[in-house]
Amino acid sequence: MTQTNSADDKVGVDASHENSHAHSNKDLPLLALGAIGVVYGDIGTSPIYAFRQAMHVRPGAAESTTEILGLLSLIVWALTLTVAIKYVFFVTRADNNGEGGTLSLMALARKTFTNPPVWIMVLGVMGAAMFYGDAIITPAVSVLSAVEGLRLVAPGMERWVVPITLVIILGVFFVQRFGTAKVSIVFGPVTAVWFLTLGFSGLVHIVGNPTVLLAINPLLGLEFLFTHIGIAFVVIGAIFLAVTGAEALYVDLGHFGRKPIVLAWFGLVFPCLLLNYFGQGAFVLDVGVHNVESPFFEMQPEWALLPFVILATLATIIASQAVISGTYSLTQQAIALNMLPRMMVLHTSETQSGQVYMPQINTMLMIGVLMLVLAFGSSDALSNAYGIAVSGVMLVTLSLLVVVMWRNWKWHPAAVIAFGVVFAAIDGSFFTANASKLFQGGWVPAVVAAVVSLIMWSWMSGRRRLAEKTRRDEVPLQFLVDNLSKKKPTLVPGTAVFLTSDIEGAPTALLHSLKHYKVLHEQNVILTVRTSASPRVADDEKVTIDSYNELFSRVVVTFGYMETPNIPKALALGRKLGWKFDIMSTSFFLSRRSLKPGPKPGNPLRFWQDRLFTRLAKNASDATEYFHIPTGRVVEIGTQVVL
């Protein structure tokens, strides 16, 4: 136990040092270009619908020049405070040895506590669950909003908007199995062209009406809210659409590093977004709010409308791809941290370990997205569902960030409180505004988040109860080793590896093997696989070996939560420690538990959690496949456990 913990601490230092030099300056332009495609694809599609929704929150709410400028001011400062300051400047600094995302931040916050409080884990579960709610809405609303541009190109095409959207979404999910390595090569350039087009199309109208630049004044935004107090929260909910996608800044931190993400934001993304929003405002001021339905498309010249719709569709596909890939990565982390049952993880790239495909997650996401498109039918209706999940993730991120500032960065408590209060007011306003749309569609991500939270919590509590029950029934390992050294059974050649999660107890597979076969191998390894709080563990720290006697050894293998557990490869590292590992003379003994629900407890929630845990365990991927153990070297011994 002690050796493993100290190894984790050392890994954290080494990995962080290694990560700081992972991306050289010569790669910075290419990494920044890649970040434009992957990181900013989602927020880059927000101009299609954000300003439109803000104008139409209530007929007559934005008729005068002052009101239009007020809405623009709110958008400008939402982007500045939430994205540029909070995420780009602060959140991206809270990396867990180079990795980002809700679960990485949760692991970073837990590191500084000897006994981490439960509420940090609760925040991690809530943040991860809400990301799933966001993941089914982003592809639906993004692709729908782009395809709806066909209404302006050919009004007769309106009835084909939903069918075309469904076909595009089916295609996006179908190609996931082939991996994003080749497709992602064009992500950066296409999205860069998209942002440049956004900036240029907005600049043309700004030149014609530079008055719109007065919206830089934040007082205009505050004036709008105070003079429209009755619809203030509705307006804030619409304004929030401009910053959706900001969470991708942190999720994809490990793929690109902080420098490329910051460079891409301030060098291209932020200026082009501002230019386009100002351009939409200038266009509305020129033609009148009553004559505009969708300023984003209508401000384009007629000859450029069809190419613009095609480019917008490509941009939304890229935005969808980014959130789908992010869901795979999040699920892989959750499995490694024992927050979800094992699922099939397929690697689609021989060079990039982070590029994975998860068939079960892909199918569930696809069904959810298709159902949303059919149920809502328009991006206008879907925008009401968009926001609760994202604003919830932002609140969770802020809460965990405050812990990191206090415990990890050693900020003065006064500074931590000041930061927390300011951004809690902003994020809290966004969340409250979006929560007000709960019955207009916001219930969709809320239900998804609640279901995922229930699954995660049931899985973690079920694993804990199963471990406690198994530990009560097991024989202490040291006791068994001492007895077998005194009275040895018949020995057979080779090495036997017994997998167990309990470092103190004798593996069930070992006990049943002795009971039924009455023999023992010449070498017996008690193997425990652990997940570090760090995303990756260096090879020279991955394996620890302790010898009990000439018959038994204890091996602990530690993987980072971003790594793919491969036991044979890890055990081969033990050769450096003097262990002569040979896969062809090694047998792996696994205990396959058959879970049976026990008698109905007094707590009804516990009753249903036990049954949910049993169902999840039955559908979990096989340990042999998950740990990449050759099937020909595995012996499974079945046991029945009553919960």
Short mmCIF file of all heavy atoms in Angstrom, two decimals, residues 402 405-406 410-420:
data_model
loop_
_atom_site.label_atom_id
_atom_site.label_comp_id
_atom_site.label_asym_id
_atom_site.label_seq_id
_atom_site.Cartn_x
_atom_site.Cartn_y
_atom_site.Cartn_z
N VAL A 402 -12.37 26.10 -7.46
CA VAL A 402 -12.17 26.83 -6.21
C VAL A 402 -11.40 25.98 -5.21
O VAL A 402 -10.51 26.47 -4.50
CB VAL A 402 -13.53 27.29 -5.64
CG1 VAL A 402 -13.37 27.77 -4.21
CG2 VAL A 402 -14.13 28.40 -6.49
N MET A 405 -7.79 25.91 -6.38
CA MET A 405 -7.14 27.20 -6.06
C MET A 405 -6.74 27.25 -4.59
O MET A 405 -5.66 27.74 -4.24
CB MET A 405 -8.09 28.36 -6.38
CG MET A 405 -8.28 28.63 -7.85
SD MET A 405 -9.51 29.94 -8.12
CE MET A 405 -9.21 30.32 -9.86
N TRP A 406 -7.60 26.77 -3.74
CA TRP A 406 -7.36 26.82 -2.30
C TRP A 406 -6.36 25.77 -1.84
O TRP A 406 -5.38 26.07 -1.16
CB TRP A 406 -8.70 26.64 -1.58
CG TRP A 406 -8.60 26.40 -0.10
CD1 TRP A 406 -7.81 27.06 0.80
CD2 TRP A 406 -9.32 25.42 0.66
NE1 TRP A 406 -7.99 26.55 2.07
CE2 TRP A 406 -8.91 25.54 2.00
CE3 TRP A 406 -10.28 24.47 0.33
CZ2 TRP A 406 -9.43 24.73 3.01
CZ3 TRP A 406 -10.80 23.66 1.33
CH2 TRP A 406 -10.37 23.80 2.65
N LYS A 410 -2.67 27.09 -3.42
CA LYS A 410 -2.39 27.82 -2.17
C LYS A 410 -2.72 29.31 -2.26
O LYS A 410 -2.00 30.16 -1.74
CB LYS A 410 -0.92 27.64 -1.76
CG LYS A 410 -0.45 26.20 -1.69
CD LYS A 410 -1.23 25.38 -0.67
CE LYS A 410 -0.71 23.96 -0.59
NZ LYS A 410 -1.51 23.11 0.32
N TRP A 411 -3.83 29.62 -2.94
CA TRP A 411 -4.27 31.01 -3.00
C TRP A 411 -4.73 31.46 -1.61
O TRP A 411 -5.18 30.66 -0.79
CB TRP A 411 -5.44 31.14 -3.96
CG TRP A 411 -5.04 31.32 -5.39
CD1 TRP A 411 -3.92 30.87 -6.00
CD2 TRP A 411 -5.82 31.97 -6.40
NE1 TRP A 411 -3.92 31.20 -7.32
CE2 TRP A 411 -5.09 31.89 -7.60
CE3 TRP A 411 -7.04 32.61 -6.42
CZ2 TRP A 411 -5.55 32.42 -8.79
CZ3 TRP A 411 -7.52 33.14 -7.60
CH2 TRP A 411 -6.77 33.06 -8.78
N HIS A 412 -4.65 32.75 -1.38
CA HIS A 412 -5.17 33.32 -0.13
C HIS A 412 -6.70 33.12 -0.11
O HIS A 412 -7.37 33.32 -1.14
CB HIS A 412 -4.84 34.81 -0.05
CG HIS A 412 -5.09 35.40 1.30
ND1 HIS A 412 -6.35 35.78 1.72
CD2 HIS A 412 -4.24 35.66 2.33
CE1 HIS A 412 -6.28 36.26 2.94
NE2 HIS A 412 -5.01 36.21 3.35
N PRO A 413 -7.25 32.72 1.01
CA PRO A 413 -8.71 32.48 1.08
C PRO A 413 -9.55 33.65 0.58
O PRO A 413 -10.59 33.43 -0.04
CB PRO A 413 -8.94 32.22 2.57
CG PRO A 413 -7.65 31.68 3.07
CD PRO A 413 -6.58 32.37 2.28
N ALA A 414 -9.11 34.87 0.84
CA ALA A 414 -9.86 36.04 0.38
C ALA A 414 -9.94 36.08 -1.14
O ALA A 414 -10.99 36.40 -1.73
CB ALA A 414 -9.23 37.32 0.92
N ALA A 415 -8.82 35.76 -1.81
CA ALA A 415 -8.79 35.76 -3.27
C ALA A 415 -9.68 34.65 -3.82
O ALA A 415 -10.38 34.83 -4.83
CB ALA A 415 -7.35 35.59 -3.77
N VAL A 416 -9.63 33.48 -3.18
CA VAL A 416 -10.47 32.36 -3.61
C VAL A 416 -11.95 32.71 -3.48
O VAL A 416 -12.75 32.47 -4.39
CB VAL A 416 -10.15 31.10 -2.77
CG1 VAL A 416 -11.12 29.97 -3.13
CG2 VAL A 416 -8.72 30.65 -3.00
N ILE A 417 -12.31 33.32 -2.37
CA ILE A 417 -13.70 33.70 -2.13
C ILE A 417 -14.15 34.75 -3.14
O ILE A 417 -15.26 34.66 -3.72
CB ILE A 417 -13.89 34.22 -0.69
CG1 ILE A 417 -13.69 33.08 0.31
CG2 ILE A 417 -15.27 34.84 -0.52
CD1 ILE A 417 -13.66 33.53 1.76
N ALA A 418 -13.30 35.73 -3.40
CA ALA A 418 -13.65 36.79 -4.35
C ALA A 418 -13.88 36.20 -5.75
O ALA A 418 -14.87 36.53 -6.42
CB ALA A 418 -12.54 37.84 -4.39
N PHE A 419 -12.96 35.34 -6.18
CA PHE A 419 -13.09 34.70 -7.49
C PHE A 419 -14.37 33.88 -7.54
O PHE A 419 -15.14 33.94 -8.50
CB PHE A 419 -11.88 33.82 -7.76
CG PHE A 419 -11.92 33.10 -9.08
CD1 PHE A 419 -11.38 33.69 -10.22
CD2 PHE A 419 -12.50 31.85 -9.21
CE1 PHE A 419 -11.42 33.04 -11.45
CE2 PHE A 419 -12.54 31.18 -10.42
CZ PHE A 419 -12.00 31.79 -11.54
N GLY A 420 -14.59 33.07 -6.50
CA GLY A 420 -15.75 32.19 -6.46
C GLY A 420 -17.06 32.96 -6.48
O GLY A 420 -18.00 32.58 -7.20
#
